[in-house]
Amino acid sequence: MILRLDHIYKDYVQGRLVVPALIDVSLHVEEGEYVAIMGPSGSGKSTLMNIVGCLDRATSGTYELAGKNVTGLSDKELAALRLNNLGFVFQNFQLLPRQSALENVCLPLIYAGVRRKERVGRAKEALERVGLGDRISFNPTQLSGGQKQRVAIARAMVNRPKILLADEPTGALDSKSSAQLMDLFSELNSEGVTILMITHAPDIAERAQRIVDIFDGRISERGRNAE
């Protein structure tokens, strides 16, 4: 089990009011699975992704990532756990606009302390893997939306994480770019990458092996899609 959440609750305090965002959420993901999480705005899916991504802490419950109990870890330990196990892909790409595609992809390797020669080589390899070997010197302003998202995926995968977390990865893309991105996700998953993806689009969710619905902070499983 690469990811295990049991009886997770997350509350936010607004003045004197306690607002529950997640209510008794349990989610188990095996290594190599491809799971889609669907829910409307305000359903708690982004809160769930932040907890899975070690960007936020649950109010109560237990969370194990790659066999390690996340509860009680320091901020420094959480950062190390993220760096070594998780890759992030966001709807708005979150690329540095004045840095080249290559420099953007190198960032996680800089944080990991990888020497320049190796990180440049690995970043070039990651960009070639997503079909952008001829765009390594381009800045994000010179790339299409689909190309920007592929740079973001190369950046997410360059540190060879165990899990790829994708938050509405096709939300800013046209239908052709979305289909190409989903093909890339399927290829990565077939190579053993575990994928946990938030989406509001049913056709995108159907590309996953499992669909989990979330509504008002509670989740329910639809089951496994046909292979």
Side-chain angles (χ1 to χ4, degrees), residues 3 11 44 53 71 76 84 86 114 120 130 136 143 167 169 178 182 209 214 220:
L3 189 156
D11 298 329
T71 307
K76 185 177 181 179
N84 294 322
L86 302 172
V114 176
V120 168
V130 299
I136 62 173
L143 300 173
D167 191 353
S178 295
M182 288 300 97
Q209 296 167 347
I214 184 166
S220 60

Side-chain angles (χ1 to χ4, degrees), residues 86-137:
L86 302 172
F88 296 86
V89 179
F90 302 96
Q91 177 178 342
N92 61 356
F93 321 127
Q94 295 197 5
L95 301 176
L96 298 178
R98 297 183 181 179
Q99 304 295 317
S100 68
L102 183 69
E103 290 167 329
N104 270 281
V105 176
C106 278
L107 280 175
L109 299 176
I110 293 174
Y111 298 140
V114 176
R115 292 184 179 182
R116 174 174 170 75
K117 183 177 181 180
E118 182 182 348
R119 68 176 181 253
V120 168
R122 284 170 59 178
K124 285 181 178 179
E125 181 182 332
L127 284 165
E128 289 170 359
R129 174 68 184 80
V130 299
L132 292 177
D134 59 345
R135 296 289 191 274
I136 62 173
S137 62

